[in-house]
Amino acid sequence: MRQRTHGKVRMKPASDLPDLSPFSEVTTALLLTVALLAALLAFHFFPGVDRAAAALFFDETACGSAKGAGSVCGFFPAGEMAPMRALRQFLQHLPAACAAGLAAAALTRLRMGEEFWGPWALRVGAVFWTYVLSVGLIVNGIFKELWGRPRPVQTDIFGGPLPFVPAGEISAYCQSNCSFISGEAAASAWLICLVALLPRQYAGLRPFAFAVAAFVAVLTSGLRMSFGGHYLSDVVLASLATLVVFSLLAVAAVRFPRTQS
């Protein structure tokens, strides 16, 4: 790749390029897609998994006289804890801040002479557009608005007024910003994609960085479940959806420069 320095053009070493592996491999993209479809089918046909996982965070209490026989009363204790809410707020905004920083850094490099269709820009673009497409469009723009799945805290099995809806099933119970699938889980999984931007020369840091990003993603998803905001299927499917989008874009980004003359 060529890089402009003080008006001159020099070749950029391949070791300095963002290393999108293993997501840039076709096999990875196929495996992630299969995993996403398999998880969707499993959660849909075995809804008890979602109910059991959510019940781990639910504290059932005795119902008052106003509740009818057979009603369930209780709450999700984690949602009442101020430190947990503060942590959730931090983790909720962290991916968006990282995406904004990545966009600013990319624009700066482009203004300094980085090639718009060069390997570096394409690989960074794959990560940035993964955030836009997965978190912004697919999760928040389509699924959460159209699938209508009530959140655990809204369902009658956890003290709410609405019925439980299996993963993937479209309903009209929830009108907007619904449970299926989790926007915060999708965004936190995107941090794993961000780590893939580390150049090959920093390959030794990748396992640790991936582990940290994965921990943050799991912590974010766990908090959403503990608050009664999402089922296990919501966070798993959202995370896999983000990784599928990224892998597809990474495959294209790595292979596109090879087709240029």
Side-chain angles (χ1 to χ4, degrees):
M1 174 186 175
R2 294 181 300 174
Q3 184 177 32
R4 196 177 303 277
T5 306
H6 301 302
K8 298 181 180 180
V9 175
R10 65 179 178 85
M11 295 302 296
K12 186 178 182 64
S15 61
D16 290 342
L17 290 176
D19 183 8
L20 302 187
S21 62
F23 297 98
S24 55
E25 301 297 327
V26 174
T27 301
T28 302
L30 291 175
L31 289 175
L32 286 171
T33 302
V34 170
L36 174 62
L37 295 176
L40 175 59
L41 291 174
F43 281 117
H44 180 78
F45 289 109
F46 299 96
V49 174
D50 268 340
R51 291 194 290 262
L56 295 175
F57 303 99
F58 182 70
D59 188 359
E60 187 171 355
T61 59
C63 293
S65 58
K67 287 278 190 175
S71 298
V72 175
C73 297
F75 66 109
F76 288 87
E80 307 295 325
M81 302 176 186
M84 300 284 276
R85 294 198 301 269
L87 178 59
R88 183 256 172 143
Q89 286 293 318
F90 171 75
L91 294 176
Q92 180 182 21
H93 298 296
L94 177 62
C98 291
L102 177 63
L107 289 174
T108 300
R109 286 283 292 264
L110 290 172
R111 288 175 61 86
M112 293 175 61
E114 191 76 50
E115 292 179 291
F116 187 82
W117 291 109
W120 185 90
L122 287 172
R123 296 179 187 206
V124 172
V127 176
F128 176 76
W129 285 107
T130 294
Y131 184 87
V132 174
L133 293 176
S134 63
V135 181
L137 177 62
I138 296 174
V139 175
N140 287 298
I142 298 177
F143 282 100
K144 291 177 69 66
E145 295 300 317
L146 300 180
W147 256 246
R149 186 188 201 188
R151 298 176 184 274
V153 71
Q154 298 173 319
T155 60
D156 51 15
I157 57 177
F158 298 113
L162 302 176
F164 171 82
V165 175
E169 184 174 311
I170 300 176
S171 77
Y173 294 115
C174 175
Q175 299 302 313
S176 180
N177 192 29
C178 306
S179 187
F180 188 80
I181 46 184
S182 172
E184 288 176 47
S188 63
W190 176 79
L191 296 175
I192 298 174
C193 311
L194 191 64
V195 174
L197 287 179
L198 283 173
R200 292 183 178 87
Q201 61 193 29
Y202 299 111
L205 297 176
R206 288 169 64 87
F208 174 74
F210 273 124
V212 171
F215 173 77
V216 172
V218 171
L219 178 60
T220 301
S221 296
L223 281 174
R224 296 306 293 130
M225 291 181 61
S226 70
F227 284 18
H230 285 290
Y231 291 102
L232 178 62
S233 60
D234 296 326
V235 299
V236 170
L237 294 173
S239 300
L240 285 173
T242 294
L243 297 180
V244 167
V245 171
F246 174 55
S247 190
L248 293 174
L249 292 180
V251 169
V254 169
R255 281 157 180 72
F256 181 81
R258 301 177 187 177
T259 67
Q260 304 304 293
S261 56

